[in-house]
Structures are given as structure tokens and as C-alpha cells.
Amino acid sequence: MADRSFLDWPFFEPRHRALAARLEEWAGREIGLGVHPHPDVDAECRRLVRLLGDAGWFEQAVPTGGAAALDVRTLCLVREILARHSGLADFVFAMQGLGTGSIALFGSEAQKQRYLPPVRAGERIAAFALSEPDAGSDVAAMATTATRVEGGWRLDGRKTWISNGGIADHYVVFARSGEAPGTRGISAFVVDADAPGLSIAERIQVIAPHPLATLAFDGCTVPDDALLGEAGQGFKVAMATLDIFRATVGAAALGFARRALDEAVARVAARPMFGRMLADQQMTQARLADMATGIDAAALLVYRAAWTRDVEGRPPTREAAMAKLYATEAAQRVIDGAVQLFGGLGVTVGVKVEELYREIRALRIYEGASEVQKLVIARQVLGAAR
Ligand code: COS
């Protein structure tokens, strides 16, 4: 049984504990703790979207009360618990949130009415399209253009590594609209998947399979009301959205790490070695101590970042960057430690720690690579000092 004592930490309120207990029970019943190979990830994602939608879990990621009702502590707990059960279940939950977060934060009433309820219900699938072949970390280098045309905008360019690419019903797309150079000349748009001129150029296969694609915009036309927020403000739309969801990536990493520790503890208690159990060896104990300490330190940073936005009500730029950086790096070490304790079994397909080893890797890259988080933190530290 996983450690649940952190729910008593002062970051949480009774409603968080109640929700965690409900989700724990639901996930145990509906998703289970098994290994989840997915011969058809698109179909599995669609099934999970319906399953989570019908159970009402997307209400937490796409709340009826809009951006003000987004509770990052809840998002973190949901991602952590789902990730402990299934990486793909966490993925579909996170993407419904990330693909609507910008709309909840900056959308018009009409955009919110149109896009949020069906995603909340699990009837439609959302996606966030920021990265490009030559603009991942350096968002200001994006080359996709948005040109004003009569009645709307024309989008031209490529977006890549887009999660839910190929199965999404809409994409929140960022493009250079040219009001000013660099970060000030970017705008955000909500683009329906069937918009003329938008196509899936390529599906991308990754080590922990989930729907991922390159999108091609070739004279893709969208109406005026597809613009999200003000023209030229797209960079801030992207950053404010990432500020909310970055801490939750740390929470997903935490879920993977907790699961790896659980697996490792069960394994070392059952595995005889040198006339004793593996758990009785001091080197094992030292490794478990490092794993447990890394998990608690990550948890503190993740919940602190969530609490900063929820309770202090200020943008958690520095706190979220620290949370994502530390939690994803620590989870990688924890999972690697679990694989080592499993020995040959740890790299065997069909064993949970092997699955976790593949699942964790991308989290140190997407939604701002570890190196970007360090840039963000350093700028905040230097800014505060000036
Ligand atoms: N919230 C609101 N505004 C923000 C912000 C935030 N978190 N971060 C920066 N801004 C504002 C700045 O205040 C600045 O405003 P002014 O133009 O009014 O001065 C503007 O945005 C530009 O900021 P900055 O100069 O820091 O931009 P850079 O081009 O140097 O980029 C990094 C900064 C690297 C931090 C940014 O590009 C980034 O986060 N990159 C990673 C993106 C990412 O996560 N990619 C993965 C794709 S999603 S899977």
C-alpha cells in the first residue's frame, strides 16, 4: 500500500483528502495496477477519455467555474494517483486540461461555451500545439505564421511533438502574427481539427506510446473568433497556461516514482540473496532511503507550487519550474533505482518498473525541458536580486 501520509500535510484541505480517497477507489476498480500495453493507443485513449469523462473526473481539469475554479492541488493529486495506476490515464487527463487551459484563462465567453463543456464531458478531445521542428525550448523562434485575411486568419507552418495529434477535436495553436518581433508578435488560436488546410503530416512513435503527431498548416483558414485573447499576446497565453500545468507534470512524475518505490519495496522483501532477503542488505536500504527522500522532497516542491497559485493567488512561475525540474529528475533516479533492485527482471517487458522506466523519460523534456526550468528559476532569482 502506497504511503498516503502526505495527505495530512498542511497544503491540503479536507476536500482534497476526500477527492483523493474517491479517486483511489475508482482507479483501483476501473484502471487497476497492472502493466498496460496498448496495441492501439488511439483506441485506448478514446476509451479512457470516455471512461474518465463519464465518471466526471475532467470536471477537475476543466472546471465549470472556469480558470478561477482551477485548483492546482486537485490537479496534482489527480495526476499523481492516475500516474500510479496508468501513464496513459494520466496522459488523457492532463491533455484535456492543457488543451483547454488557455481557453479557460483567456477565451471569450463564446469560446468557453463552445469548447469547454464537451471536453469536460469526455465527448471531445483537446490538444495544445506550441512546439515546432526548430522551436521547442525557444518559443520566440517559432516560424508558423498567422496572416490576417478577410474574415479571419491564415495559418502556415508545422507544429510537432503534439500530444493527442491525430485524435484531438481542437488544437490551441500558437503562431507568429507579426505585431512585433520575438515574443511580442505571437498570437494564440483555437483551431478545429477539421479546419481546411490543417492535416496530420506524420504520426510519431515514442518509447512510452501515446498519440503524438506533426501537424501541417497549409493555408489553414480560421475565422476571426478563433483568436484566443489579444493578437500579439500569445506568448503570455502559453506561459500562463504552462505556469499552471508545469507543477502537475511534477505530480505525474511523483505518481510514477511512488509506484516504483512500492514495487521495489515488495520486490526486496520477497527476493532472497546471499542467505538473507534483499531488503536486509545495507546497500538496498541505502538505495531505498535515497528513493524515499527524493519522493518526499519532490512532493514538497510540487504541493508548494500548487499551493502558491491556489492559496497565495500569484503566478507560481518560479515554484512550478522548481517543482517540475526536481520532481521529474528525482523520479527518473527513483525509477532507475527500482529497475536496479529488480535486476534482470527490471528490464523485462511486462514488468511494471520497465514500463515506468519508459514512461518517465519524456517528462524531463516536455512542457519545458529541465534546462528551460533552470533558465526560468535563474531569471527569477536574478530578477529578485536586482
Ligand atoms: N507568465 C506571464 N508572462 C511571462 C511569463 C509567465 N510565466 N514568462 C515570461 N513572460 C513574459 C515576460 O514578462 C516578457 O514580457 P514583456 O515582453 O512584456 O517584457 C515576455 O513574456 C518574454 O519573456 P522572456 O524574455 O523571458 O522570453 P524568452 O524568449 O527569453 O523565453 C523561456 C523564456 C525560455 C522561459 C520560454 O521560451 C519557455 O518557457 N520555453 C519553454 C517552452 C516549453 O515549455 N516548450 C514545450 C512545449 S509545450 S509541450
Side-chain angles (χ1 to χ4, degrees):
M1 174 62 191
D3 175 20
R4 313 306 291 154
S5 59
F6 61 86
L7 285 169
D8 296 326
W9 293 359
F11 301 104
F12 298 112
E13 299 167 20
R15 65 192 168 100
H16 296 113
R17 294 179 195 109
L19 178 125
R22 263 197 302 125
L23 179 57
E24 200 67 67
E25 189 275 322
W26 181 88
R29 180 162 37 85
E30 298 291 338
I31 296 173
L33 285 167
V35 176
H36 302 279
H38 306 296
D40 182 346
V41 279
D42 287 6
E44 181 60 8
C45 276
R46 289 196 174 97
R47 186 187 75 82
L48 286 167
V49 167
R50 292 308 313 222
L51 187 71
L52 274 102
D54 287 347
W57 294 114
F58 295 141
E59 170 64 28
Q60 310 304 330
V62 193
T64 318
L70 265 176
D71 183 82
V72 187
R73 289 166 297 172
T74 300
L75 287 177
C76 286
L77 286 176
V78 172
R79 289 203 66 178
E80 181 179 329
I81 293 168
L82 290 177
R84 257 188 40 248
H85 289 81
S86 147
L88 212 54
D90 164 60
F91 167 82
V92 303
F93 175 81
M95 285 313 304
Q96 293 295 79
L98 184 64
T100 52
S102 306
I103 304 172
L105 286 168
F106 296 94
S108 64
E109 266 320 302
Q111 287 168 329
K112 290 182 194 168
Q113 286 305 323
R114 177 163 172 208
Y115 289 101
L116 303 189
V119 173
R120 184 183 303 131
E123 288 158 5
R124 290 173 77 84
I125 296 178
F128 182 81
L130 181 64
S131 297
E132 299 189 0
D134 295 320
S137 293
D138 184 3
V139 175
M142 79 171 52
T144 296
T145 54
T147 315
R148 274 194 196 275
V149 293
E150 203 183 321
W153 298 79
R154 196 188 73 221
L155 305 179
D156 291 280
R158 294 280 179 279
K159 292 284 169 185
T160 195
W161 311 110
I162 305 309
S163 290
N164 276 344
I167 67 166
D169 294 290
H170 79 251
Y171 299 88
V172 172
V173 178
F174 298 85
R176 177 159 299 292
S177 45
E179 290 73 13
T183 56
R184 294 186 181 191
I186 292 170
S187 297
F189 301 88
V190 195
V191 182
D192 292 330
D194 60 2
L198 166 58
S199 61
I200 304 299
E202 182 194 15
R203 292 295 299 266
I204 303 169
Q205 307 300 322
V206 282
I207 55 174
H210 66 271
L212 196 68
T214 301
L215 313 182
F217 296 85
D218 295 304
C220 171
T221 48
V222 293
D224 263 333
D225 62 7
L227 179 70
L228 191 52
E230 286 170 40
Q233 295 297 307
F235 185 82
K236 288 183 183 175
V237 172
M239 292 301 123
T241 307
L242 289 171
D243 269 353
I244 293 178
F245 287 93
R246 272 181 180 158
T248 78
V249 180
L254 194 52
F256 290 144
R258 288 195 198 281
R259 181 64 192 277
L261 181 61
D262 290 349
E263 295 290 322
V265 167
R267 170 78 179 157
V268 300
R271 168 88 156 117
M273 189 175 281
F274 297 116
R276 294 189 292 174
M277 286 301 176
L278 192 49
D280 299 322
Q281 317 283 342
Q282 284 196 344
M283 269 196 271
T284 302
Q285 293 172 4
R287 191 180 286 279
L288 292 176
D290 286 344
M291 290 162 77
T293 306
I295 286 174
D296 274 13
L300 283 164
L301 282 171
V302 167
Y303 305 148
R304 191 269 299 250
W307 181 89
T308 300
R309 181 177 189 276
D310 292 347
V311 180
E312 284 194 13
R314 65 181 167 81
T317 305
R318 169 175 174 272
E319 292 81 1
M322 286 182 172
K324 182 185 185 279
L325 170 67
Y326 189 85
T328 56
E329 296 285 339
Q332 181 87 58
R333 290 191 296 275
V334 168
I335 294 167
D336 188 65
V339 169
Q340 197 69 16
L341 287 168
F342 267 71
L345 202 54
V347 290
T348 305
V349 174
V351 172
K352 189 68 191 183
V353 294
E354 185 272 344
E355 186 183 65
L356 292 167
Y357 192 74
R358 289 182 289 103
E359 297 271 18
I360 188 60
R361 190 60 185 86
L363 277 65
R364 290 167 53 209
I365 299 171
Y366 71 59
E367 287 184 47
S370 290
E371 292 74 10
V372 165
Q373 307 311 332
K374 288 183 186 177
L375 276 183
V376 172
I377 296 163
R379 286 177 186 193
Q380 296 275 322
V381 171
L382 290 168
R386 277 182 192 130

